[in-house]
Amino acid sequence: MLLDVNATFGAVLAVLLCLAAGTVALARLGRARDTLIAGTRAAVQLVAVSLVIGWVVRSLPLLLCFLLLMYAVAVRTAGRRVVPAPGGAWLWAAVPIAAGVVPVVVALLLTGLVPVRGITLIPVTGILIGGALTVTVLSGRRALDELATRKGEVEAGLALGLLEREARLEVAREAASDALLPGMDQTRTVGLVTLPGAFVGMLLGGASPLRAGAVQLFVLVALLLVQAVAVAVTLELVARGRLRRE
């Protein structure tokens, strides 16, 4: 085992979380309370998921419900991060996440690369949803921030005869594309700087290094597609005024 789950594990985890919150507070990077809440929620949720997954993987209807729950939580998280103000605009975050994840998962199932088994489908879908969530938040926030900062350029584009969508795209496209950089860098440096979770997990599970590397490569390439689609759709929604701040 990589880690022994015992009292020492819990104590070290608590100290690390407190140090993270303390650093946030001392450097004035935000609210230390948010860091503590995030860490505590992660612990509670992972314990709950660990207990539930063994039950869910035995039933296809329960498996589908669990996947829908993952998607719903991702939509709410992304929507509230991009559009924090009250209103229904945050619901549009459902579109880029689904547009990126659903076609890829369906293709993997149809080709047989990923079997219709919970023990395989849950982690693969979870990784893809997580990647789509991250870039939807980053691209949406960056695009809306850029439009607010460079409002005059949008108006200048309109004055030159551009449609509103085109003017907003010209201003927001570069900022939104920055959301792809973390995924690109992770893919470029895999094996040289970091060993991602899928690779390490398979090694710990007894798989050969070659097979673990093949699975990790598959995950990274699938993530590149999912994230590219999610950013493109998010940018389009911002340009059309669907994702907007009041």
Side-chain angles (χ1 to χ4, degrees), residues 73-85:
V73 173
V75 169
R76 180 171 177 79
T77 302
R80 292 302 190 186
R81 285 292 186 189
V82 177
V83 189

Side-chain angles (χ1 to χ4, degrees), residues 11 17 44 87:
L17 182 57
V44 173

Side-chain angles (χ1 to χ4, degrees), residues 158-227:
L158 294 174
L160 291 172
L162 293 178
L163 298 175
E164 184 173 2
R165 170 184 170 275
E166 295 170 343
R168 291 164 69 92
L169 279 175
E170 288 299 318
V171 170
R173 180 178 283 112
E174 185 175 353
S177 67
D178 286 348
L180 295 175
L181 293 179
M184 291 282 192
D185 290 340
Q186 182 185 27
T187 304
R188 287 194 186 104
T189 61
V190 65
L192 300 176
V193 178
T194 60
L195 295 177
F199 181 81
V200 175
M202 289 200 65
L203 287 180
L204 293 175
S208 67
L210 182 61
R211 184 173 179 82
V215 171
Q216 184 61 67
L217 177 62
F218 164 78
V219 169
L220 288 173
V221 173
L223 267 176
L224 287 179
L225 174 58
V226 167
Q227 293 182 335

Side-chain angles (χ1 to χ4, degrees), residues 11 14 44 55 76 89 96 105 108 110 114 118 121 132-133 138 144 166 195 209 211 216 224-225 232-233 235 242:
V44 173
W55 177 50
R76 180 171 177 79
V105 171
L108 296 178
L110 291 178
V114 173
L121 192 56
L133 162 63
L138 291 176
L144 290 172
E166 295 170 343
L195 295 177
R211 184 173 179 82
Q216 184 61 67
L224 287 179
L225 174 58
V233 175
L235 178 61
R242 300 294 188 268

